[in-house]
Amino acid sequence: MRRFFAPLLALGLAVAGNARAEDTLSPLHFQSDGPLGSIDKAAAQRGFLVYQTVCAACHSANALHYRDLEALGLTPDQMAGVAAGVKLADGSAATLDSPFKDPAMPASAFGGALPPDLSSIAAQRPGGAQYIYALLTGYATAPDGVTMLPGHFYNKAFPGEQVAMPPVLRDNAVTYADGTAATQSQEAADVAEFLTWAADPNLSTRHQIGLRAVIFFAFLGIVAVISKRRIWREGR
Amino acid sequence: MTTETKQIPCLGALCACLCAPVHKPEGKYLDTLPGLTAILLAFLTLSGLVLAVYYDPWHAFASVGFIGHEVNNGWLVQAYHATGATALFGLVYLYLFRAMLTRGYRAPGELVWGLGVKLMAVLLLVGWLGFVLTGGAAAYWSLFKASNGALALSGAAGAIGGWFFGGPAGSGTLARLELFHAVLAVGAMAVLWLLFAARRAVVPRAEPGQGVAFFPYYLAQYLVALAVFALIFSVLAFFTPHLGQPAVNALPADPLTLPLGTVLPWYLLPLAGIAQALPGIWGGILGVVGALAVLAALPWLDRSGPAGAKGGLYCVFTWVLAADVIGLGITAAARNYPQASLLLVLFTFWYFFHFLVLTPFVTAIEAK
């Protein structure tokens, strides 16, 4: 029941055009970090490409719909193109829910490990985007003295350091339409930004409203203090 | 007073109440805490009403996700409601702690103090029910433990538990808990109304000719308090909407998987720590009831008398108690180290030792 997602490679990035991404890898930082952070739409679009091409073979994103991609800057035509380009193995249309229609199938096929739904993974895991990046780039050969469980891979970012997910990201696993070099780290950072958006689609709006609310109430507080003092002084 | 006040008598009464110069002319900003609590309760009721319209207890987790993703501004109302709970407990805890520091619980304020503790107890139950309604992994396992514990009791306690939960935690449990969440929230408002009435009866009035009216003096003060509160609330709601909530709760509940880090929201943690420190189901229940009971009994445990001196040593011990309660919460949240159980017992011991031994002795000695 794997999903195939080839035609997206032709999808032009609506936001970034042909500009290459700025270097966010050294040192690693995300535009969504911090109290005034916002979603980097170009990175999230690239992350969606990585998700659809690589992650979606095993992981669902139940809370997402193709129409949500409008928030990342895609036009309705582009979204329709994306949705039309996703096919199940038998050629039928695929949604973003689980690629495994039999819930027992993934656990039996992957050594008992169920691929978790990715729609809110950035909110569930401590560290969010940083953790996702560290996990996706944290694969290494197991040090001497570590006995690996069957079907597991050594990953220094995963709690317990043994993860059932194989290392799936490699250089040029996707081709970015905006010309960004698709290194493994770049793909990991982009998919981390995409999953941050998926877990918190209103992050940018929330921070914008919050900044305005704080400024408004700070001024209101100053005005209220002045008026209170004046009223109480005149009352004496 | 014009004609409409004659036609609507309560308006005249309200005007007379607002304009009567009976209040003391030195008001503290923190005296507005119960008023802010009332405003916040109304705000929580409104945001909760919006959420309840879309909430489906039979598919709790999916409907919480639906409200956040699909309902127009649903994510904002969710952030308001969750942050409202955090702010509400902040206000209530601050109100009670201030009454302890200023010894405002002493006669004639015993009734006000008792109603404050009762308000906190009702709100803790409402808060837990609201947390359980989210249907996340942490909420599911908390409900699982509570309902199984209640049903395992024998006799009347088991019958009450069985009636409350309606059997082991299942998909139908949340439907009845949603009702209890709403009804008990109205009950909390009733307790707050009683608290206002009791406070009005005992608050010292100004000497004739010396007093000021609520309007405009205390209204101006309330506006300052409200603006500062709204500022803090905005910071919490827009920049840390999940403050004090376990991250695991973003995970859908799976009856076959107990994830790490299934803790309660911050405002329930100190009581949860006391419940965990005592053995067995009855230990937990008695711990929670006893912790609230000794708190409510504080006016009678304080032996200094209504007019006795306020000593500095007891004030220091009250601060130590606050640190003890915070320690209880932190230890209950992070139980993954071997000393945690011992620490919980120590913190719980100190809590009861403070009320049952230190309070009578220190206040009696200081009053001499």
Side-chain angles (χ1 to χ4, degrees), chain A residues 35-36 63 65 67-68 120 123-125 198 201-202 205-207 209-211 213-214 217-218 220-221 224-225 228 231-232 235-236, chain B residues 25-27 29 68-70 75-76 212 216-218 220-221 223-224 227 230-231 234-235 237-241 247-248 250-252:
Chain A
L36 294 178
H65 304 95
R67 63 172 182 272
D68 296 329
S120 65
Q124 292 161 15
R125 300 292 191 268
N202 304 296
T205 320
R206 184 157 59 75
H207 289 170
I209 303 177
L211 185 62
V214 165
F217 285 122
L220 185 69
V225 168
K228 188 255 176 188
I231 286 171
W232 280 70
R236 295 291 163 85
Chain B
E26 65 275 0
Y29 278 113
H69 281 93
E70 309 297 331
W75 62 276
L76 198 59
V212 296
Y217 298 98
Y218 280 94
Q221 194 185 35
L223 277 181
V224 175
L231 181 64
S234 307
V235 170
F238 292 109
F239 298 106
T240 59
V248 166
L251 202 69

Side-chain angles (χ1 to χ4, degrees), chain B residues 209-256:
Chain B
Q210 302 284 311
V212 296
F214 182 87
F215 179 84
Y217 298 98
Y218 280 94
L219 185 67
Q221 194 185 35
Y222 259 95
L223 277 181
V224 175
L226 202 57
V228 171
F229 175 74
L231 181 64
I232 298 169
F233 186 90
S234 307
V235 170
L236 295 177
F238 292 109
F239 298 106
T240 59
H242 306 293
L243 182 74
Q245 302 281 337
V248 166
N249 218 30
L251 202 69
D254 181 354
L256 296 178

Side-chain angles (χ1 to χ4, degrees), chain A residues 15 30-48 68-69 71-73 122 129 189-208:
Chain A
V15 172
F30 295 96
Q31 194 180 307
S32 53
D33 284 346
L36 294 178
S38 58
I39 298 292
D40 182 348
K41 288 185 181 178
Q45 281 189 25
R46 292 195 301 268
F48 174 68
D68 296 329
L69 295 174
L72 291 185
D190 289 344
V191 87
E193 184 81 356
F194 168 71
L195 292 175
T196 304
W197 168 78
D200 195 356
N202 304 296
L203 184 139
S204 311
T205 320
R206 184 157 59 75
H207 289 170
Q208 277 173 12

Side-chain angles (χ1 to χ4, degrees), chain B residues 124-191:
Chain B
L124 283 169
L125 183 53
V126 175
W128 180 75
L129 289 170
F131 167 67
V132 161
L133 288 183
T134 58
Y140 173 83
W141 286 103
S142 177
L143 174 63
F144 180 84
K145 273 189 256 180
S147 60
N148 277 13
L151 293 172
L153 299 173
S154 57
I160 294 172
W163 177 81
F164 189 80
F165 290 108
S171 45
T173 312
L174 290 183
R176 70 169 48 212
L177 295 191
E178 184 194 10
L179 204 63
F180 289 139
H181 178 66
V183 170
L184 284 170
V186 177
M189 283 187 190
V191 175

Side-chain angles (χ1 to χ4, degrees), chain B residues 54-67 133-135 171-172 174-175:
Chain B
Y54 297 98
Y55 179 72
D56 172 12
W58 299 90
H59 309 95
F61 188 80
S63 81
V64 169
F66 174 80
I67 294 169
L133 288 183
T134 58
S171 45
L174 290 183

